[in-house]
Amino acid sequence: MTQDIHGASAAAAAGTGTGGWWRNAVIYQVYVRSFADGNGDGVGDLPGVRDRLPYLAGLGVDALWITPFYRSPMADFGYDVADYREVDPRFGTLDDARALIADAHAHGLRIILDLVPNHTSDAHAWFRAALAAAPGSPERARYLFRDGRGAGGAEPPNDWESVFGGPAWTRIPGGQWYLHLFDPAQPDLNWNDAAVRAEFEAVLRFWLDLGADGFRIDVAHGMVKAAGLPDVGRAGQTRMLGTAVLPYFDQDGVHEIHRSWRALLDTYAGERIGVAEAWAPTAERLARYTRPDELHQAFNFHYLTAPWDAHGMRAVIEESLRTAAAVSAPATWVLSNHDVQRHVTRYGGGAEGLRRARAAALLTLALPGSAYVYQGEELGLPEVLDLPAEVLQDPQRRRGEGEGRDGCRVPLPWSGEEPPFGFGTGGTTWLPIPPAWRDRTVAAQDADPDSTLALYRNALRVRRGHPALGDGPLRWLVGPPGTLMFVREPGGPDGAGGAGTPAGRSVGCAVNMGDRTVQIAAFGAPLLASGPVRAAGGRIELAPGTAVWWEVA
């Protein structure tokens, strides 16, 4: 078995106590095609990621979650997998993947891969075999083929809708229909079939043996379908943020799959983890995915969708902490990802949106548990709202489903005064980078002590070194209207901070979400602020859209 970067034992990994690197981890999401281009074709790839590992290590994150790079026709940009054991030529080779994992470990970074188990590509060998086979065959049993309803079976088997819009069924020559809860090019697998379960266990082992430190599980709530595939009615089929909370998702049977995967992960040295991308109707239902014998984390979309409002944000934080604690799991916090509008824009855009986004970063990194950083948020990147129609590529938009996700997937600007801003050696990028981003490049922000990049680096440095941050307790303070204030006290699972950190010191955090400047009682010296603050006489003056950390004396 492959040893992890810290040489932890399999026995330690199998424990269900409060320890574990993932409980405190800051995990950086790499959207491969938009991160860095290693071969000059304008599309990000694995060699590009490998070249930028020193940047990520210097940023101060603990792990990388890398979006799918498997062989794929790219009907949904890699979330339609044709071969789970091969790298798509657009992104490199299997040797590139091996080298990336090894180099990341050498830089002290763990690698979390994206697993897509709810569906395959329609180009997968299994689905091609199913189309060539007869109804009732073992090949078709791996997917969800059904006869239609009505005269001649001309109507879909039930009323389910695709998350991407339209019926969730497509008819094939010969008359049967197959289920696809997403695009027709993404046929859903039948997780009641033993061959499907055995195949994915083998896929997990394949990547774990290559050194992967864990998996982010796409649509972790979706693999098991409601028994009998019953109609649900249109009123129950609601969507939010490009995915869905639908009555045929979040079936209890998914938890048996996750238990089996947790048992497999625990046989490997180095605390390999599973992270659920699960949409559930309540925080209590979401917490079920992280019970001690299931997955290690679940994305907290309730926090991502919380409004810029102190009352609403506090309610989400309290509910998240309460439900995570009920199953002894760490809470997770995420502000943006590759499927939603960047939070600089969600929080108002322009200077106001950036101020709030910087404050939200300090809030997020001060909360107990694990945090996720979407590539480019450390640069303060906004959503690109004015991409020319002729360059838009998101399949959702091409299907007429909303505005699409291209705006949050624009390639990163690294250096230089004009596009492609050092993204690669070529002169183009698969989506154009706005010329206005010349002031937001890594190089432009690198030496600026007031830049958003500097804020993230400093916050991650303090978070990693201070005994009161990371996982552990939170105590709310009473602050002025429109503010969130709390204290983080030492006592998390790891118990000690970095060299030179005073033992027993607490950290306070305050965020002004109101529209007026306020004064707060800090009881100590500021450690870090998202914008200008004035401190005197044990009080800190906090402008709107500003956050501050202070060390409690």
Side-chain angles (χ1 to χ4, degrees):
M1 294 181 184
T2 303
Q3 198 78 353
D4 92 320
I5 58 177
H6 299 300
S9 68
T16 56
T18 58
W21 66 269
W22 68 89
R23 300 189 69 93
N24 293 322
V26 177
I27 300 172
Y28 186 98
Q29 182 190 352
V30 172
Y31 187 69
V32 178
R33 66 189 301 119
S34 296
F35 185 71
D37 173 17
N39 64 4
D41 66 356
V43 177
D45 49 36
L46 297 186
V49 179
R50 187 182 175 195
D51 288 344
R52 300 292 183 173
L53 289 174
Y55 166 78
L56 294 168
L59 183 62
V61 298
D62 302 296
L64 312 182
W65 154 35
I66 303 179
T67 55
F69 51 74
Y70 315 110
R71 187 177 293 275
S72 168
M74 301 294 162
D76 192 22
F77 285 145
Y79 285 93
D80 52 316
V81 180
D83 190 330
Y84 291 85
R85 296 175 181 83
E86 285 292 339
V87 174
D88 193 275
R90 298 171 182 85
F91 300 137
T93 66
L94 192 56
D95 284 341
D96 290 326
R98 289 191 183 97
L100 172 59
I101 293 170
D103 281 7
H105 289 172
H107 281 88
L109 297 167
R110 289 179 166 88
I111 295 292
I112 297 170
L113 302 183
D114 220 320
L115 185 72
V116 187
N118 179 71
H119 46 261
T120 71
S121 165
D122 61 357
H124 193 284
W126 274 12
F127 192 71
R128 290 178 173 175
L131 294 179
S137 64
E139 291 81 4
R140 289 206 179 177
R142 297 167 180 160
Y143 294 90
L144 290 161
F145 283 87
R146 295 292 186 272
D147 294 329
R149 299 190 291 193
E155 298 296 323
N158 66 22
D159 66 353
W160 292 7
E161 295 180 2
S162 163
V163 172
F164 290 164
W169 296 90
T170 290
R171 199 176 193 188
I172 64 170
Q176 281 201 314
W177 300 71
Y178 69 88
L179 180 69
H180 51 85
L181 293 181
F182 294 87
D183 191 88
Q186 296 168 292
D188 278 43
L189 288 160
N190 175 19
W191 274 87
N192 291 322
D193 187 76
V196 171
R197 298 197 178 209
E199 169 66 4
F200 274 87
E201 180 174 317
V203 168
L204 289 170
R205 290 190 183 279
F206 177 84
W207 290 105
L208 290 168
D209 289 342
L210 262 61
D213 297 288
F215 301 91
R216 175 263 194 189
I217 300 164
D218 186 63
V219 196
H221 57 303
M223 292 101 79
V224 172
K225 311 306 191 267
L229 308 182
D231 286 341
V232 296
R234 293 190 62 83
Q237 304 192 61
T238 58
R239 294 178 179 79
M240 69 177 181
L241 286 177
T243 185
V245 178
L246 298 168
Y248 36 90
F249 281 152
D250 190 36
Q251 299 294 311
D252 288 343
V254 299
H255 297 286
E256 187 276 327
I257 298 170
H258 298 319
R259 288 189 187 96
S260 70
W261 288 355
R262 175 60 180 265
L264 188 157
L265 290 166
D266 285 349
T267 66
Y268 279 77
E271 298 183 295
R272 318 297 180 93
I273 72 167
V275 181
E277 186 230 18
W279 291 81
T282 66
E284 286 80 6
R285 291 288 300 185
L286 182 63
R288 290 163 58 88
Y289 290 83
T290 56
R291 288 176 288 194
D293 62 342
E294 294 195 37
L295 302 176
H296 299 75
Q297 293 183 348
F299 286 152
N300 187 351
F301 293 116
H302 297 279
Y303 180 72
L304 184 150
T305 58
W308 184 259
D309 169 78
H311 177 76
M313 187 74 78
R314 176 167 172 167
V316 168
I317 292 170
E318 289 180 333
E319 181 182 46
S320 301
L321 293 173
R322 176 181 57 81
T323 53
V327 293
S328 300
T332 64
W333 314 100
V334 59
L335 293 168
S336 288
N337 65 34
H338 66 294
D339 283 332
V340 302
Q341 189 178 75
R342 285 187 177 274
H343 60 281
V344 167
T345 302
R346 292 203 321 271
Y347 289 156
E352 179 182 65
L354 181 58
R355 279 196 307 272
R356 290 176 172 180
R358 287 166 60 95
L362 289 195
L363 169 62
T364 300
L365 294 173
L367 291 171
S370 178
Y372 283 77
V373 174
Y374 177 48
Q375 65 179 44
E377 73 174 73
E378 79 276 16
L379 303 177
L381 297 184
E383 188 84 357
V384 181
L385 300 174
D386 57 353
L387 288 167
E390 63 269 18
V391 307
L392 297 174
Q393 300 189 42
D394 182 16
Q396 281 192 19
R397 183 182 176 90
R398 292 204 305 268
R399 285 187 295 266
E401 290 297 309
E403 294 300 316
R405 300 163 292 181
D406 293 297
C408 65
R409 298 176 175 183
V410 171
L412 294 192
W414 290 95
S415 61
E417 295 297 319
E418 58 186 26
F421 293 120
F423 180 71
T425 57
T428 61
T429 51
W430 72 280
L431 286 173
I433 307 176
W437 281 10
R438 65 175 55 88
D439 296 327
R440 298 180 185 266
T441 67
V442 172
Q445 298 193 42
D446 195 47
D448 179 359
D450 297 322
S451 68
T452 302
L453 178 57
L455 177 70
Y456 270 77
R457 284 173 173 164
N458 289 331
L460 290 168
R461 173 183 52 80
V462 174
R463 176 189 164 99
R464 177 172 287 183
H466 206 289
L469 296 175
D471 201 17
L474 175 149
R475 176 168 56 88
W476 290 104
L477 301 176
V478 176
T483 63
L484 289 179
M485 290 183 61
F486 56 87
V487 167
R488 300 296 319 283
E489 295 162 336
D494 295 332
T501 302
R505 291 289 180 91
S506 299
V507 172
C509 177
V511 187
N512 185 356
M513 293 184 164
D515 55 7
R516 296 182 180 180
T517 296
V518 298
Q519 286 194 344
I520 61 170
F523 311 111
L527 282 171
L528 188 62
S530 66
V533 298
R534 293 197 301 171
R539 302 189 70 80
I540 296 175
E541 189 175 276
L542 203 59
T546 306
V548 63
W549 293 354
W550 70 93
E551 190 166 70
V552 180

